[in-house]
Amino acid sequence: MAKNFKNDAITSRDENFAQWYTDICRKAELMDYSNVKGFIIYLPYGFAMWEQIKNFMDRRFKETGHSNVYMPMLIPESLLQKEKDHVEGFAPECAVVTRGGTNELEDPLIIRPTSETLFSELYAKQVKSYRDLPKLYNQWCSVVRWEKTTRPFLRGSEFLWQEGHTVHATEEEAREETLRMRDIYVETCRDLLAIPLITGRKTEKEKFAGAEETYTIEALMHDGKVLQSGTSHYFGQGFAKAFDIKFLDKDNKQKYIYQTSWGASTRLLGAIIMVHGDDNGLVLPPRVAPTQVVIVPIQSQKPGVLDKAYEVKAQLEKAGIRVSVDDSDKSPGFKFAEAEMKGIPVRIELGPRDIEAGHCVIAKRNDGTKTTVDLNDELANTVLKTMDTIHEEMYAKAEEHLRTHITETNDYSQFGEILDTKGGYIKTNWCGDQECELKVKEDYQATSRCYEPDEASDDAVCPCCGKKAKHIIYYARAY
Amino acid sequence: MAKNFKNDAITSRDENFAQWYTDICRKAELMDYSNVKGFIIYLPYGFAMWEQIKNFMDRRFKETGHSNVYMPMLIPESLLQKEKDHVEGFAPECAVVTRGGTNELEDPLIIRPTSETLFSELYAKQVKSYRDLPKLYNQWCSVVRWEKTTRPFLRGSEFLWQEGHTVHATEEEAREETLRMRDIYVETCRDLLAIPLITGRKTEKEKFAGAEETYTIEALMHDGKVLQSGTSHYFGQGFAKAFDIKFLDKDNKQKYIYQTSWGASTRLLGAIIMVHGDDNGLVLPPRVAPTQVVIVPIQSQKPGVLDKAYEVKAQLEKAGIRVSVDDSDKSPGFKFAEAEMKGIPVRIELGPRDIEAGHCVIAKRNDGTKTTVDLNDELANTVLKTMDTIHEEMYAKAEEHLRTHITETNDYSQFGEILDTKGGYIKTNWCGDQECELKVKEDYQATSRCYEPDEASDDAVCPCCGKKAKHIIYYARAY
Ligand SMILES: [Zn+2]
Ligand SMILES: [Zn+2]
């Protein structure tokens, strides 16, 4: 009955995906705009999703030995300049504080665009001996990068994220850490957000400013475009040498440390919206949903209906389920549409006749199916199982979409049509030259998303230049 | 045996309280300085205490119906100027962004010193009808206020805090909210931090810029000085009128909303240090301690000792206790001193002879007492009970210190001696004139901490001017 009740409020995905996205952000009350361009307001519903992501990742960071810290928001311009590649990457997008209190500042201060320089400076002080290693710090904060084109969650002048920064005695350990944290991002996407990924390394052109290697997780959106959703960097000894981070090793020699950093941001909220959403609104994976179940009483003025609704609520809460009762004076149809817009995974409908018959109706947001189930002690278990099923179904659907949108081809003349019609990834060979990457970008507005080094077959050639290929590479149009 | 092993590392409290404080901040590894004055680094141990405070308060905020949001870090200078008293209070301590990317900004941006203006702007958009009320938002973030004199946790140019901002349909509701949140701060201090308080209203002179009334919680430090530790403000309709926050009420009339805000910050870490610490280091109330129990194995090279230590650790962890084993190769005496410096509430000593006898030694950080207890299934319960006892003892000790440092007097000539010798509060009468407040400040460098309106007895006179008194007031020297 609720179908198409409120959908008119949002543009259809196929009609205008960008407008659909913005509509969802606003109508599901995830965010609002402030008066400063690129600085958004995270409203309760959007922020609650971020809190779920934070809790999930933070637990895993702590389980793998990391501690949270908080570093200053402001970085002296002179400090940012210490690592050459790093400052070149970030200088053009800095917000600069030139006045503090009543004084003009001599050394202007940058609002952190990222905090490698601050962590490097701290580690240079803290690390003296191999006994002080590794140092495994993380911080949750917001960063500022001045952007010209901004979109909610996807690209903003300020965004929320975590940035982990670690130093190690050996290259091997640092490399392991880089991959370990990449794997936690993969786990977060798979187990919390029901998002399958392509992972691999960034090319020289696309990697992080100052990194030796950048590992990325890339998620495919419904419209065939790709979203970089988290990165993990291996720095080698670049910052160590620029900041003189040395330690006395067991063999009594002074050595430079090996360093990593890794970050994931509120971009993940954008990924959730664009991977799972539909024309009725958000579709939330149950584990990240702020409200997992909404109970909608039917004919709630009839005696016993509301009482039963609260009874069921208490029962589900006891099982750890995040549940609410919509006891507003709106019509059931309106309530259904609202719950759909908000992407609440499970809706329980409960009317006088249901109660009399001792059952209720469970509706799944992801596919609209309804089941009648008994109102008994098993209800909470049934709901928990239903949520697991929803998670699996959503993951499988997204994985199928991903699988069918990876086009393997070595025919350069096909690139344009593939990208224009079905989108997704082109999986192909690459010689390793940046020129070919640039050519793809110029010809087809697609960027290299990641590559697997040394994986091309012996007779493979680069489709761009015809030279012998070294690597497998993924190209796509990206956010 | 450990007594005085490492204490030399810190200055004695009685010798130089300020130096003692700084020593603890550094030696207990709570924080470090950055290269920008007034911007500190929250190290893992200090940040973990803040995380405990955050979790405790956040749960209570949510239980009382509040939602977390996140507002932009930057505020247009023009927006900050909309409420006259507010901008006068904050303008002199603002950090100003004048450059973004490659552009000079036309309207400079202020890094939030507090976010009343942003929340007011949002509420003006969100609130249309009485159905939209109340709105109960909170955010956890850092704010920047340019300070000339800075001290770790007590006064910094950047600090971490929460700021709650709410709007209500009626004055009564808003006033209730102001007190409800003040009470949550009282509860946090009492039940989590073992800190007793004086509470009351701030005078006109001391209240928050733009507030109609400010309620404060004031904590007495060991040195007799007082720390303002949290405030809750009732704004009336000041911001509502400046920002035009109106709603259509049930009676079909347009009305201005009533507003509150309330904040508590990392100052609370300073309070924990200065209320409870001693010459051996931090003394942490068990519920806020990142590590509640440290197990120190004695003669850990002997077979079975380390195994037993880990077994006990697992047993305590199962009961939800935050516990670690110090299995480093330092001497037991050194480990004891380190655990004392870090203020770990309970130390368990465990050697070969203890294990043979089936017991261990439990030492309490707060008073140094030791008890021998059996190694059996009851151990976790004993430790939990011991921690409750420690909490109560610490609270009682701080309360006794507070009680004995409130001097009731109406003799103005005594003020100086009381403040110079025993410190603490002077509880006296007040006529209500700001001149008398200013006179106390000039004569004795003491400020009014809070007052209780209309509580003076009929024949009471103000000790400063001899006029009829209206209120009871507390003066003290403060941080
Ligand atoms: Zn090529
Ligand atoms: Zn007077």
Side-chain angles (χ1 to χ4, degrees):
Chain A
M1 68 194 277
K3 287 286 167 200
N4 304 315
F5 189 89
K6 205 191 176 186
N7 325 357
D8 333 343
I10 60 171
T11 310
S12 151
R13 274 190 304 185
D14 294 336
E15 196 180 302
N16 183 340
F17 194 77
Q19 187 58 47
W20 168 85
Y21 178 79
T22 311
D23 285 352
I24 297 238
C25 287
R26 302 300 310 284
K27 299 281 174 179
E29 297 178 283
L30 298 174
M31 52 70 65
D32 202 345
Y33 297 102
S34 82
N35 276 339
V36 184
K37 193 175 155 302
F39 288 76
I40 65 166
I41 295 164
Y42 294 78
L43 291 176
Y45 201 60
F47 195 79
M49 282 164 62
W50 180 237
E51 282 183 318
Q52 295 294 338
I53 294 173
K54 242 173 112 161
N55 290 342
F56 186 97
M57 294 211 293
D58 199 66
R59 194 175 324 125
R60 276 146 192 87
F61 294 162
K62 285 176 176 153
E63 280 166 5
T64 48
H66 301 82
S67 300
N68 284 334
V69 299
Y70 183 77
M71 300 295 271
M73 174 201 288
L74 300 180
I75 306 175
E77 208 166 44
S78 53
L79 186 69
L80 197 71
Q81 285 161 352
K82 268 186 138 175
E83 211 288 339
K84 201 177 60 61
D85 293 336
H86 188 68
V87 68
E88 271 176 25
F90 284 104
E93 39 187 69
C94 286
V96 189
V97 177
T98 58
R99 215 161 75 220
T102 47
N103 302 320
E104 296 293 322
L105 303 179
E106 279 175 37
D107 189 2
L109 297 166
I110 311 292
I111 302 178
R112 60 175 163 237
T114 181
S115 306
E116 274 74 13
T117 52
L118 291 173
F119 279 92
S120 294
E121 191 178 47
L122 174 64
Y123 287 140
K125 279 204 283 183
Q126 285 192 330
V127 174
K128 307 259 179 269
S129 145
Y130 69 92
R131 284 193 187 84
D132 302 324
L133 293 169
K135 290 275 183 205
L136 310 171
Y137 291 172
N138 175 66
Q139 80 172 343
W140 295 92
C141 64
S142 78
V143 291
V144 171
R145 299 177 187 175
W146 219 256
E147 299 278 0
K148 293 204 179 74
T149 319
T150 62
R151 298 190 61 192
F153 307 128
L154 302 179
R155 191 170 296 278
S157 290
E158 180 185 19
F159 58 87
L160 301 172
W161 79 342
Q162 59 67 220
E163 46 177 324
H165 297 266
T166 69
V167 289
H168 307 262
T170 66
E171 173 174 348
E172 191 191 354
E173 257 188 53
R175 286 187 180 279
E176 276 170 17
E177 169 80 3
T178 312
L179 292 173
R180 182 181 302 118
M181 303 325 284
R182 195 269 315 262
D183 290 347
I184 287 181
Y185 294 152
V186 172
E187 187 189 346
T188 305
C189 287
R190 184 190 61 216
D191 295 347
L192 183 69
L193 311 180
I195 295 178
L197 302 165
I198 296 282
T199 69
R201 292 192 206 179
K202 286 288 184 192
T203 60
E204 273 300 303
K205 179 176 167 295
E206 298 288 332
K207 74 181 193 189
F208 184 79
E212 209 164 279
E213 267 164 26
T214 290
Y215 292 85
T216 182
I217 59 167
E218 305 276 327
L220 178 63
M221 305 297 107
H222 176 79
D223 66 344
K225 284 172 77 181
V226 165
L227 185 72
Q228 176 184 310
S229 304
T231 45
S232 185
H233 316 292
Y234 169 71
F235 285 117
Q237 299 180 313
F239 281 94
K241 286 174 182 166
F243 285 80
D244 203 33
I245 320 175
K246 275 189 290 206
F247 68 102
L248 192 67
D249 205 353
K250 287 178 192 166
D251 60 10
N252 224 24
K253 286 188 182 141
Q254 286 284 340
K255 295 178 186 170
Y256 287 110
I257 55 79
Y258 295 84
Q259 196 162 354
T260 84
S261 83
W262 25 277
S265 75
T266 36
R267 276 205 136 186
L268 289 171
L269 301 180
I272 297 170
I273 299 168
M274 291 196 289
V275 168
H276 300 301
D278 66 20
D279 280 356
N280 289 321
L282 271 179
V283 181
L284 292 184
R287 294 168 199 160
V288 79
T291 303
Q292 298 174 306
V293 176
V294 60
I295 302 171
V296 180
I298 315 289
Q299 295 184 279
S300 58
Q301 74 289 357
K302 291 267 170 86
V305 174
L306 268 180
D307 288 348
K308 193 70 193 173
Y310 290 121
E311 196 187 309
V312 170
K313 177 174 187 261
Q315 189 183 348
L316 298 187
E317 263 171 356
K318 222 172 149 187
I321 298 166
R322 300 186 288 273
V323 51
S324 71
V325 173
D326 189 344
D327 54 9
S328 66
D329 52 11
K330 297 164 194 159
S331 72
F334 193 93
K335 291 177 185 180
F336 290 3
E338 211 163 53
E340 284 179 357
M341 180 68 77
K342 294 233 165 186
I344 300 173
V346 172
R347 181 180 74 225
I348 296 183
E349 304 167 17
L350 196 61
R353 263 172 299 175
D354 297 306
I355 295 168
E356 208 176 322
H359 63 226
C360 65
V361 174
I362 291 187
K364 284 160 63 201
R365 172 64 180 95
N366 65 317
D367 61 6
T369 56
K370 291 187 178 196
T371 327
T372 300
V373 305
D374 288 345
L375 286 168
N376 60 23
D377 291 351
E378 273 306 293
L379 185 61
N381 267 334
T382 306
V383 170
L384 287 171
K385 269 185 227 148
T386 303
M387 292 202 295
D388 279 341
T389 304
I390 292 172
H391 180 90
E392 280 154 33
E393 288 171 353
M394 288 176 71
Y395 186 84
K397 189 178 172 189
E399 202 178 31
E400 174 67 8
H401 184 249
L402 171 58
R403 199 183 58 74
T404 55
H405 287 78
I406 300 173
T407 308
E408 284 194 53
T409 179
N410 224 47
D411 180 354
Y412 194 71
S413 72
Q414 291 295 306
F415 278 28
E417 205 196 315
I418 293 164
L419 292 163
D420 287 342
T421 56
K422 69 187 269 203
Y425 298 93
I426 291 174
K427 182 178 178 184
T428 189
N429 294 296
W430 181 40
C431 61
D433 288 348
Q434 204 168 96
E435 271 171 53
C436 293
E437 236 185 309
L438 291 168
K439 187 169 153 60
V440 173
K441 189 166 183 192
E442 192 170 317
D443 289 348
Y444 304 117
Q445 299 80 53
T447 49
S448 75
R449 303 318 306 159
C450 58
Y451 77 104
E452 289 297 343
D454 311 325
E455 290 230 330
S457 62
D458 283 348
D459 57 348
V461 295
C462 174
C464 313
C465 66
K467 280 191 276 187
K468 186 169 165 25
K470 292 178 191 155
H471 319 299
I472 300 285
I473 193 164
Y474 291 83
Y475 293 106
R477 291 186 181 147
Y479 280 94
Chain B
M1 67 193 278
K3 287 287 168 205
N4 303 316
F5 189 88
K6 206 192 174 185
N7 326 354
D8 333 345
I10 61 173
T11 310
S12 150
R13 272 191 306 186
D14 293 337
E15 194 181 301
N16 184 341
F17 194 77
Q19 187 58 48
W20 168 85
Y21 178 78
T22 311
D23 284 352
I24 297 239
C25 286
R26 302 300 310 283
K27 299 280 176 183
E29 297 179 284
L30 298 174
M31 52 69 66
D32 202 344
Y33 297 102
S34 81
N35 276 339
V36 183
K37 192 174 157 301
F39 287 76
I40 64 166
I41 295 164
Y42 295 77
L43 291 177
Y45 201 61
F47 195 80
M49 281 163 63
W50 180 238
E51 283 183 317
Q52 294 294 337
I53 295 173
K54 242 173 111 162
N55 291 342
F56 186 98
M57 294 210 293
D58 198 67
R59 193 175 324 126
R60 277 148 191 85
F61 295 162
K62 285 176 176 155
E63 280 167 6
T64 48
H66 300 82
S67 300
N68 284 334
V69 299
Y70 183 77
M71 299 295 270
M73 174 201 287
L74 299 180
I75 306 176
E77 207 166 45
S78 53
L79 186 69
L80 197 71
Q81 286 161 351
K82 268 186 135 173
E83 212 285 341
K84 202 177 59 61
D85 294 335
H86 188 66
V87 68
E88 270 175 25
F90 285 103
E93 38 186 69
C94 285
V96 188
V97 176
T98 59
R99 216 161 76 219
T102 47
N103 303 319
E104 296 292 323
L105 303 179
E106 279 176 36
D107 189 3
L109 297 167
I110 311 293
I111 301 179
R112 61 177 162 235
T114 180
S115 305
E116 273 74 12
T117 53
L118 292 173
F119 278 93
S120 293
E121 192 179 47
L122 175 64
Y123 287 141
K125 280 204 284 182
Q126 285 193 330
V127 175
K128 307 259 179 269
S129 145
Y130 69 92
R131 284 193 186 85
D132 302 323
L133 292 169
K135 290 275 182 204
L136 310 171
Y137 292 171
N138 175 65
Q139 80 172 345
W140 295 92
C141 64
S142 79
V143 291
V144 170
R145 298 176 188 177
W146 219 256
E147 298 278 1
K148 292 202 181 73
T149 319
T150 62
R151 298 191 61 193
F153 306 128
L154 301 180
R155 192 170 295 278
S157 290
E158 181 185 19
F159 58 86
L160 301 172
W161 79 342
Q162 58 67 218
E163 47 177 321
H165 297 265
T166 69
V167 288
H168 306 262
T170 66
E171 172 175 349
E172 192 191 354
E173 256 187 55
R175 286 188 181 279
E176 276 170 16
E177 169 80 3
T178 311
L179 292 173
R180 181 182 303 119
M181 303 325 284
R182 194 269 316 262
D183 290 347
I184 287 181
Y185 294 152
V186 172
E187 187 190 346
T188 304
C189 286
R190 184 189 61 216
D191 296 346
L192 183 69
L193 311 181
I195 295 178
L197 301 164
I198 295 283
T199 70
R201 291 192 206 179
K202 285 289 184 192
T203 61
E204 273 299 303
K205 178 177 166 297
E206 298 288 332
K207 74 180 191 189
F208 184 79
E212 210 163 279
E213 267 165 27
T214 289
Y215 292 86
T216 182
I217 58 166
E218 305 275 327
L220 178 62
M221 305 298 106
H222 176 79
D223 66 344
K225 283 172 78 180
V226 165
L227 184 72
Q228 177 183 311
S229 305
T231 45
S232 185
H233 316 292
Y234 169 70
F235 286 116
Q237 299 180 313
F239 280 94
K241 286 175 181 164
F243 285 80
D244 203 33
I245 320 176
K246 276 189 290 203
F247 69 101
L248 192 66
D249 205 353
K250 287 178 193 166
D251 61 9
N252 224 22
K253 285 188 182 141
Q254 286 285 341
K255 295 178 186 170
Y256 288 109
I257 55 80
Y258 296 84
Q259 196 162 354
T260 84
S261 83
W262 25 278
S265 75
T266 36
R267 277 206 135 185
L268 289 170
L269 301 181
I272 297 170
I273 299 168
M274 291 196 290
V275 168
H276 299 301
D278 65 22
D279 280 355
N280 289 321
L282 271 179
V283 181
L284 292 185
R287 293 167 200 161
V288 79
T291 302
Q292 298 174 307
V293 176
V294 61
I295 302 170
V296 180
I298 315 289
Q299 296 184 278
S300 56
Q301 74 290 358
K302 291 266 170 88
V305 174
L306 269 180
D307 287 348
K308 193 70 193 176
Y310 290 121
E311 194 187 310
V312 171
K313 177 175 188 259
Q315 188 183 348
L316 298 187
E317 263 172 356
K318 222 173 147 185
I321 298 165
R322 300 185 289 273
V323 53
S324 71
V325 173
D326 188 345
D327 55 9
S328 66
D329 51 11
K330 298 164 192 159
S331 73
F334 193 93
K335 290 178 186 182
F336 289 5
E338 209 162 55
E340 284 179 358
M341 179 68 79
K342 293 236 166 182
I344 300 173
V346 173
R347 180 180 76 226
I348 296 184
E349 304 167 17
L350 196 61
R353 263 173 301 176
D354 297 307
I355 295 168
E356 209 178 319
H359 63 226
C360 65
V361 174
I362 290 186
K364 284 161 64 203
R365 173 64 181 94
N366 66 315
D367 60 7
T369 56
K370 291 186 179 196
T371 327
T372 300
V373 304
D374 288 345
L375 285 168
N376 59 23
D377 291 350
E378 273 306 293
L379 184 62
N381 266 335
T382 306
V383 170
L384 286 171
K385 267 185 226 146
T386 303
M387 293 201 295
D388 278 342
T389 305
I390 292 173
H391 180 92
E392 280 155 31
E393 286 171 354
M394 288 177 71
Y395 187 85
K397 189 179 172 189
E399 202 177 30
E400 174 68 9
H401 183 248
L402 171 58
R403 200 183 57 75
T404 55
H405 286 79
I406 301 172
T407 308
E408 283 194 55
T409 179
N410 223 47
D411 181 353
Y412 194 70
S413 72
Q414 291 295 306
F415 278 28
E417 205 195 315
I418 293 164
L419 292 164
D420 286 342
T421 55
K422 69 186 270 202
Y425 299 93
I426 291 173
K427 183 179 176 182
T428 187
N429 294 297
W430 180 41
C431 62
D433 289 348
Q434 202 167 96
E435 271 169 53
C436 294
E437 235 186 311
L438 290 168
K439 185 169 155 59
V440 172
K441 189 166 183 192
E442 190 169 318
D443 291 346
Y444 304 117
Q445 299 79 52
T447 48
S448 76
R449 305 317 306 160
C450 59
Y451 77 104
E452 289 297 343
D454 310 327
E455 290 230 328
S457 62
D458 283 348
D459 56 349
V461 295
C462 174
C464 313
C465 65
K467 280 191 278 187
K468 185 169 168 20
K470 291 178 189 156
H471 320 299
I472 300 285
I473 193 165
Y474 290 84
Y475 293 106
R477 290 185 183 149
Y479 281 93

